Every structure is written in C-alpha cells, then in structure tokens.
C-alpha cells in the first residue's frame, strides 16, 4: 500500500523570528509516515523560502531570505504504519 499523508498550513509574518519559523505537526505524523516531501510558496512578496530542517520529532523549520513574508507550506509523507506495511500496494492487473 502506498498511502500518502498531506498536511498543509500557512505561516503569517508574525510566525517568524527574524527569518526563521518552526512548524509543529500533529503527533501522529512522524509515527505513521516517512519519506517526507516539502512544498513552500512565498505569498505576497518576492523572497526565497527553504526547508532549513527536515521533519524531526514532529517539527520542521522554514527559513526565508527576507523578513516579514508569508509562507504557505505542504508536507507529504508515505504511510509507514503497521497496516500499510501488512497491506502493500498492488497495481490492478489487466482483466482477461
């Protein structure tokens, strides 16, 4: 089974300390998922945003090139819970 976890959020300018912010994910995210992928979009201005720290202990960090910007983010993970491991994904086979 290939399951996906998607979590989205928005960081307002006041969420950043200078140009850094930490996002705290729900407790179950790290326990049930692995192989995270990230998407960041700066809103309302021209700046760069990077993932400064990958998901660890239910958190990840974002850094921007300019202070006071808004960032929309999405984290996607592959399910790695016990059910997903016992029931791996199998592509549908062509019918004869």
């Amino acid at each position: 089974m290939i399951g996906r976890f998607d979590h989205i959020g928005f960081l307002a300018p006041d969420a950043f300390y200078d140009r850094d912010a930490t996002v705290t994910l729900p407790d179950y995210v790290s326990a049930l998922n692995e192989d995270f992928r990230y998407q960041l979009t700066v809103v309302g201005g021209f700046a760069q945003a990077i993932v400064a720290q990958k998901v660890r202990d239910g958190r990840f960090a974002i850094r921007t090139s300019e202070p006071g910007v808004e960032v929309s983010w999405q984290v996607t993970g592959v399910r790695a819970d016990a059910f997903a491991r016992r029931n791996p994904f199998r592509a549908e086979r062509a019918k004869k």
Side-chain angles (χ1 to χ4, degrees):
M1 166 186 284
I2 296 177
R4 283 190 25 194
F5 160 81
D6 287 315
H7 199 77
I8 58 173
F10 185 78
L11 291 174
D14 60 355
F16 288 86
Y17 178 75
D18 190 16
R19 296 175 299 132
D20 296 299
T22 299
V23 176
T24 302
L25 299 168
D27 293 338
Y28 62 86
V29 173
S30 291
L32 301 178
N33 299 278
E34 61 187 18
D35 196 22
F36 294 101
R37 289 173 174 76
Y38 311 85
Q39 182 172 347
L40 306 175
T41 303
V42 175
V43 179
F46 186 76
Q48 295 176 326
I50 64 165
V51 174
Q53 175 66 53
K54 295 180 178 183
V55 172
R56 186 175 67 201
D57 299 326
R59 296 185 195 130
F60 73 98
I62 296 172
R63 179 171 295 137
T64 62
S65 61
E66 300 294 329
V69 298
E70 299 175 54
V71 177
S72 173
W73 57 267
Q74 177 179 8
V75 174
T76 302
V78 177
R79 278 185 60 184
D81 58 276
F83 179 83
R85 291 182 193 273
R86 284 192 312 269
N87 299 282
F89 176 78
R90 288 183 175 73
E92 186 174 332
R93 295 184 180 157
K95 297 178 182 175
K96 293 181 180 184

